[in-house]
Amino acid sequence: MAGKTITRADLGEAVHRQVGLSRSESLDLVNQVLKEISDTLVKGETVKLSSFGTFEVRYKKERIGRNPKTKEEVPITPRRVLTFRASQVMKKRINGES
Amino acid sequence: MIKSELIQRIAKRNPHLYHRDVERIVNTILNEITRALAEDNRVELRGFGAFSVRYRKARIARNPRTGEPVEVGEKKVPHFKAGKELRQRLNQGNPQIDR
């Protein structure tokens, strides 16, 4: 059971089976949902999906990094990073507690 | 944005769909991701990111208030890594991202 990789196509297939839309429309909706989440995050807004988890954009200030090989100091530019915090519901399901 | 707003926005863009179908679509997607992880599978959504399961060994933790040691059993934790495209979009114009 382990070691499989689920893709957009698999999610589309699940929507097709569960909701009964055509395969192509189902895949299109999967893409729309992922795009809506991405676009919201790019605007800097948090996305909170109950019983799933929270995606949050965090800001990192500039800091000094070091090339481990040459020991040369390089500034690491300020950047936005994306974090995901899984909900309790997801954590429990992954540990077989529900 | 919360889930109901996400559903609202998708429904607005697909006026031919019933609101409750859009609800089922969003829930099916999220549920399918969780189910895959619960079965120890990986979920790779190109451009968006990848969900995987990481293992944490059993350890002795401490109750921060009393200092009392507490046994914590081994467990699995979900992990998400943003995809290249999304990372670049979050940092438009920064040439240091994913050169």
Side-chain angles (χ1 to χ4, degrees):
Chain A
M1 206 182 262
K4 244 184 13 189
T5 298
I6 273 67
T7 63
R8 287 177 190 249
D10 297 309
L11 298 184
E13 188 63 29
V15 169
H16 164 68
R17 269 186 281 106
Q18 301 272 321
V19 189
L21 304 176
S22 74
R23 281 199 169 80
S24 67
E25 186 172 21
S26 298
L27 180 57
D28 177 50
L29 276 147
V30 168
N31 290 330
Q32 282 189 47
V33 168
L34 296 175
K35 182 167 191 305
E36 191 60 55
I37 296 172
S38 304
D39 290 352
T40 304
L41 292 167
V42 169
K43 282 188 267 172
E45 208 184 306
T46 296
V47 176
K48 206 167 171 170
L49 304 170
S50 72
S51 75
F52 185 77
T54 304
F55 295 95
E56 199 174 349
V57 178
R58 297 175 67 175
Y59 299 80
K60 296 261 193 175
K61 281 189 255 177
E62 182 179 79
R63 63 198 165 91
I64 302 298
R66 218 162 262 107
N67 179 327
K69 210 173 276 175
T70 64
K71 295 192 168 120
E72 189 193 352
E73 289 192 348
V74 224
I76 295 173
T77 54
R79 61 193 60 213
R80 296 201 295 176
V81 296
L82 183 55
T83 61
F84 173 70
R85 277 209 338 271
S87 69
Q88 285 305 320
V89 176
M90 181 191 272
K91 287 183 190 166
K92 282 193 171 154
R93 267 186 75 184
I94 286 172
N95 285 284
E97 290 162 31
S98 64
Chain B
M1 175 172 76
I2 60 173
K3 190 155 73 178
S4 58
E5 292 166 327
L6 172 62
I7 291 165
Q8 201 76 50
R9 292 182 201 182
I10 301 295
K12 214 169 159 187
R13 226 181 289 121
N14 298 272
H16 62 291
L17 295 177
Y18 287 114
H19 192 277
R20 67 150 198 276
D21 280 343
V22 178
E23 233 173 84
R24 287 171 65 197
I25 290 162
V26 170
N27 285 326
T28 298
I29 294 169
L30 300 180
N31 192 43
E32 210 56 26
I33 295 172
T34 307
R35 194 170 70 99
L37 295 173
E39 292 173 0
D40 281 345
N41 292 322
R42 192 182 147 76
V43 181
E44 210 173 289
L45 307 169
R46 280 288 151 81
F48 183 76
F51 295 90
S52 57
V53 180
R54 296 191 170 181
Y55 298 82
R56 297 275 176 269
K57 283 185 210 154
R59 64 193 172 95
I60 307 289
R62 256 164 223 291
N63 178 328
R65 195 169 306 176
T66 62
E68 193 190 336
V70 196
E71 267 182 54
V72 181
E74 62 169 5
K75 64 176 174 188
K76 299 194 267 185
V77 293
H79 182 259
F80 175 75
K81 183 170 186 269
K84 190 170 172 176
E85 192 194 316
L86 184 50
R87 231 166 25 232
Q88 285 172 336
R89 282 187 67 202
L90 285 165
N91 294 283
Q92 212 113 62
N94 183 336
Q96 218 182 51
I97 308 290
D98 300 316
R99 278 170 304 183

